[in-house]
Every structure is written in structure tokens, then in C-alpha cells.
Amino acid sequence: MMLMRLMMFLAVVMSLAAPARADDISAAGRGVVRVVTIASAEGEIVGFGHGSGFAIAPNRIVTNAHVVELAARYPANVVIGIVPSEGAKSYRGKLIAYDAQRDLALIEFGGAPLPPLTVYPGPVSDGAPVVALGYPGNVDLATAQSSADYIRPLSPVRSQGGYAGRRAISGVDVLLHTASIARGNSGGPLLDECGRVVGVNSAITRAEEGDSSFGFAVADTELAAFLRAAKQPYATTGVGCVSVEQRLKQDEQDAARRAEDDARAARDAEARTAAAREAAADQAQADLAVVRENFIGAATLMLVLGSLGISAAGLAAPGAQRRGQRRALMALGAVLMLGGIGVFFARPQGAPALRPASLAQAAAPLPAPAPTGKMLCRIDSARSRINTSSPGDVTIDWGKDGCMNTRTQYVENGSRWERILVPSQEQTVSVLEYVPTERRYSERRYLLGARAMEQARRLRASVTIKACSADEATRQKLSQQQAAIRSALPPQPDEWLVYACAPAP
């Protein structure tokens, strides 16, 4: 009966959290939770504690071992509560792995899945910015009005500092940092600027007589060893952190370079065309001169032969028998001379005509890429912002009229074809794009909060086109439905993956 009362207490419907800022840290914050422990004895609540934690899988939480120590020692008398940063419910947790040496624990809970955080194995540079997320107790003491405030979903508190080095405490590697943490932050993630986990906050130094305070976080290597021992898969990425602003600036510079390259290629093509035209004109002029000389030579030869024929007729001996021969020679000579005059005046005049075939061959463009068929696409890191993903090769089958993989209809947007995917469980909306002329495939990923995902799913419900269609009106309707979903997305994605594609072997 007492456990039922405790569970009803944990499941009280609370008000929704305020929407978080659209950045990497806020996206990571959606997977951060408050971990509450409630101890009871003989039907009465005798102890209450809380710390922080984060999702390493949709229904599994990492926290410090000391946060749930009582639950490990007295499992029959201590209830673990998981309070997400969003939504309206809290959930009961179950301790499934515990390592007092490393000060780490793994909790499983039922209910709505959370977006897991990604672990970054480093290295972290000295002085690099780091961010702590969690629920510091001193903030709770200043703001909580009742015990119910400790199980109300709220966005975690963030504090920023710098990485101050690596140390070992009792044989366990820890990260030293200057991000402000307090009791209650225990078990919460220490993040890099891109929102990847580099450590698990666990302790602070004592600040006596004005000494600076430092925080300790269990290192990523210890976290990885703990998760391997617990046989818990987790997401990891070794790609360095690149901010949205940096990537957008790089994209602008790349676009400018590509535009310059295109302009240079156009100038080169124009120069080749001009050179080909000039060469063709010179060749045509030379060919025309040869033809003119041939005409003049033929006319001269005909005039000479005609003159010789007439002269031979005049020199022929008189007599009746020779008279017919003289007339024939005179006629032949006259014909040759008239023909020679005709040939001379018939010689080609004016400018020569250019040969289009030669020009087309000199300035012929490169063959266009194959528009359809199976493509093997590999990640282009220089044009991507890889933050929390570990992308591999992607195989696509591009068909006519925007049919992807023979089943998914894309809609045309200029030279691009797009499709928006809104999953039922994940907290991510993806905008998929393929540019056939460039053989470029991409995925823009938006890591949305609970409210934004609910809105996107409501809009997705209106999309009734589930298969490819050659009907233009059907594709236009799909385009309008996708435009409604797009209007609900932030201006910039959190992550975008760009792939270069080539015909599959």
C-alpha cells in the first residue's frame, strides 16, 4: 500500500516545462533527468534524496552510485524515481548496474523514451569550454515550494566553465573542471560545446578561505568501461566539435569557392570556344584560298588549252579535208576559253563559312550524371556537421518522378527532391534531400523538444501519401503537406549529414 502511495506521488501530473533554447546543450538537456530516492520504513517516509542523471539509451539512465546508494543497500525500502526534463509524468526506476568504485550506476525505467546522449571519447583540450547540466540542490532550496517541486519536470540548470585537467582519485580517472556544480548535480553530464558527454559530474572541492572551487567528473574512459561491463550499448562519436556558426561559415566559403570554380570553368569553356572558332575560321580561310587557287588554275588551264586549239586551227593546212578539223578545233578552243572564263568568275567569293561540328566538339560539356539507378553514398565530412551521429555508407535507389527506394515519394524543389520524416518514437525530425544532377544525398536532423515533436506528429498525421506516385497532383499535395511540417521546424538543423554518391557497383 505504501509503495502504491509513493508511486501515485511520483506520477502526479505536473505542468509542462518551458521550451528550451534551440542549441546543442538544450538538445542534450532533453535527455537529462532528476533522480529521486524515497526511503520508507513501517509505512512512513523516512528519507528523501535526489541527484541528476542522463539517458544513455531510450529507457536507461546513468547516474552516480552515491545518488542511489540507499536503493542498492535497501532495495525493498527505497523507491527510485526518474523525473524527465520535459513532459508531465515521473516514472519508477529499477537499479540494474552499480559500481561503487567508479561511482556509477545504471537505472532502467518504463514510460516515454528519452533521447539518449552521445559520448565523446575525447581528447578534451586544456581550457576547452565545458558545460554541466543537472539539478543543483542550492537552486532547489531557493525555488522549491514543496516536495512536489522535486518531481515536477523542469529543464536542467546549465553552468559553463573550462576543462582544467585529468586526475586520478583512488585509481579512478576524473576530469577537473571549473563549471559551477553543487549537491544535486551528482550524476549529471559534463558536456563539450556540441552537447556530447565527456564525463559524469560526481563531486566538488571544498572552497575554504576564498579558495576557488573545482568540480570532478568521472572520465569518459571510466564510463565506457562501466557500460561495457553492464553490457549496455551506447552512442559515441570521435568527430571534433564544430559549431553551427563555424559550419555555416565554412559552407558559405565552400559555396563561394564552388561559384568561383564554376565561373572559371565557364570562362575556360568560353575561351576554348573562342579559340576553336578562331582556329575554324583560319582553317576555313585556308581551305577557301586553296579552292580559289584551284578554280583559277583550272580557268587558266582551260584558257591556255582553248587558245592552243584556236591557234592550231589557224595553222592547219588548207584543203577540203582539213576544213572540218579546223572548225572542230576552233569550236573546242572557243568552248575551253569560254569555260575558263566561266570557271574564273565562278571561283568562291566572300568570307568562308564556319563548321559548327568543329565548334561543338571543341566546347562539348562533360556528360551529365546518370539520373536514376542504385547509388552508393559516402559521408562528405567537409560539408557535414556530424555532432551526435556515427554515419556510415548509405545505398539509395533513385527512380523517376522522385521515387526513392521504390517506395518513398520525394517532392521536387527546384533541382532538389525532398522528403520530411517524423518518427513515432525518436525526438528527431529529418529532412532528406537528393540532388540527382550533383549526385548528392543529405539529411538535416532537427533535435526537437516534446512540444515541438507533438506538433510535428500532428502535422504528419495529415500526410496520407505512403507510396510513390507518378501523378503530378498527388505530388503537389504532398509538397503542401510537407511545407506545413517544415514551417514548424527551427531555422537551422542541429546536425546535417552530406553524402557524395556514385553508381553502386
Side-chain angles (χ1 to χ4, degrees), residues 393-456:
D393 293 347
V394 175
T395 300
I396 64 173
D397 189 353
W398 183 249
K400 62 181 300 186
D401 297 324
C403 183
M404 177 68 80
N405 299 331
T406 70
R407 63 181 181 273
T408 304
Q409 181 64 55
Y410 281 46
V411 295
E412 191 171 11
N413 183 5
S415 63
R416 305 187 301 272
W417 292 80
E418 298 178 344
R419 183 64 187 258
I420 301 178
L421 299 182
V422 183
S424 300
Q425 296 296 327
E426 297 180 12
Q427 294 284 95
T428 303
V429 172
S430 296
V431 178
L432 307 179
E433 177 184 279
Y434 184 59
V435 184
T437 56
E438 300 179 17
R439 292 176 177 170
R440 175 167 53 84
Y441 178 74
S442 64
E443 177 183 3
R444 298 194 297 276
R445 305 180 75 239
Y446 297 82
L447 311 181
L448 303 183
R451 289 180 176 177
M453 282 303 305
E454 289 176 4
Q455 181 183 7

Side-chain angles (χ1 to χ4, degrees), residues 342-375:
V343 169
F344 178 80
F345 284 106
R347 70 190 188 279
Q349 302 291 331
L354 301 183
R355 288 184 283 183
S358 300
L359 295 179
Q361 183 177 4
L366 295 176
T372 60
K374 290 187 177 181
M375 298 284 172

Side-chain angles (χ1 to χ4, degrees), residues 92-449:
R92 182 171 180 173
K94 176 185 177 183
L95 186 62
I96 61 173
Y98 185 85
D99 189 334
Q101 175 67 18
R102 291 190 172 96
D103 195 18
L104 293 173
L106 187 63
I107 303 169
E108 187 175 63
F109 72 98
L114 297 177
L117 275 64
T118 297
V119 176
Y120 176 63
V124 182
S125 303
D126 289 340
V130 291
V131 177
L133 282 184
Y135 297 90
N138 50 9
V139 174
D140 289 327
L141 290 174
T143 59
Q145 303 298 315
S146 67
S147 59
D149 290 322
Y150 288 90
I151 60 168
R152 175 178 291 112
L154 291 171
S155 297
V157 177
R158 71 165 73 186
S159 61
Q160 185 166 327
Y163 174 68
R166 198 178 186 99
R167 297 290 188 272
I169 299 178
S170 300
V172 177
D173 286 342
V174 296
L175 307 181
L176 187 64
H177 64 88
T178 60
S180 298
I181 58 175
R183 295 179 181 179
N185 278 107
S186 294
L190 184 68
L191 310 171
D192 67 4
E193 287 187 294
C194 285
R196 289 92 61 93
V197 178
V198 297
V200 183
N201 287 312
S202 61
I204 56 174
T205 59
R206 293 182 178 180
E208 298 179 352
E209 298 181 359
D211 291 343
S212 298
S213 178
F214 289 86
F216 292 100
V218 180
D220 60 281
T221 51
E222 302 288 355
L223 174 62
F226 168 73
L227 293 173
R228 284 197 300 270
K231 298 182 180 179
Q232 174 59 56
Y234 62 97
T236 182
T237 180
V239 179
C241 178
V242 178
S243 69
V244 173
E245 292 75 16
Q246 288 174 316
R247 176 53 67 199
L248 289 176
K249 184 176 181 180
Q250 291 177 5
D251 287 348
E252 290 176 358
Q253 294 172 347
D254 291 343
R257 282 194 293 268
R258 288 195 296 272
E260 184 177 350
D261 292 342
D262 292 343
R264 185 184 300 110
R267 291 194 298 269
D268 292 343
E270 185 177 354
R272 288 196 301 270
T273 301
R277 185 181 296 277
E278 183 178 355
D282 292 342
Q283 184 62 46
Q285 188 69 43
D287 294 343
L288 181 62
V290 171
V291 172
R292 284 174 178 170
E293 290 175 359
N294 290 338
F295 268 75
I296 293 173
T300 302
L301 178 61
M302 293 174 71
L303 289 172
V304 170
L305 292 175
S307 176
L308 290 175
I310 294 174
S311 298
L315 294 176
Q321 295 180 350
R322 302 287 185 179
R323 188 177 301 120
Q325 295 178 354
R326 287 200 302 272
R327 284 199 296 270
L329 288 173
M330 289 287 291
L332 179 61
V335 169
L336 288 173
M337 292 189 70
L338 291 174
I341 295 172
V343 169
F344 178 80
F345 284 106
R347 70 190 188 279
Q349 302 291 331
L354 301 183
R355 288 184 283 183
S358 300
L359 295 179
Q361 183 177 4
L366 295 176
T372 60
K374 290 187 177 181
M375 298 284 172
L376 178 63
C377 305
R378 291 188 167 92
I379 193 69
D380 185 351
S381 300
R383 301 178 67 180
S384 303
R385 184 179 189 243
I386 306 171
N387 191 10
T388 60
S389 300
S390 298
D393 293 347
V394 175
T395 300
I396 64 173
D397 189 353
W398 183 249
K400 62 181 300 186
D401 297 324
C403 183
M404 177 68 80
N405 299 331
T406 70
R407 63 181 181 273
T408 304
Q409 181 64 55
Y410 281 46
V411 295
E412 191 171 11
N413 183 5
S415 63
R416 305 187 301 272
W417 292 80
E418 298 178 344
R419 183 64 187 258
I420 301 178
L421 299 182
V422 183
S424 300
Q425 296 296 327
E426 297 180 12
Q427 294 284 95
T428 303
V429 172
S430 296
V431 178
L432 307 179
E433 177 184 279
Y434 184 59
V435 184
T437 56
E438 300 179 17
R439 292 176 177 170
R440 175 167 53 84
Y441 178 74
S442 64
E443 177 183 3
R444 298 194 297 276
R445 305 180 75 239
Y446 297 82
L447 311 181
L448 303 183

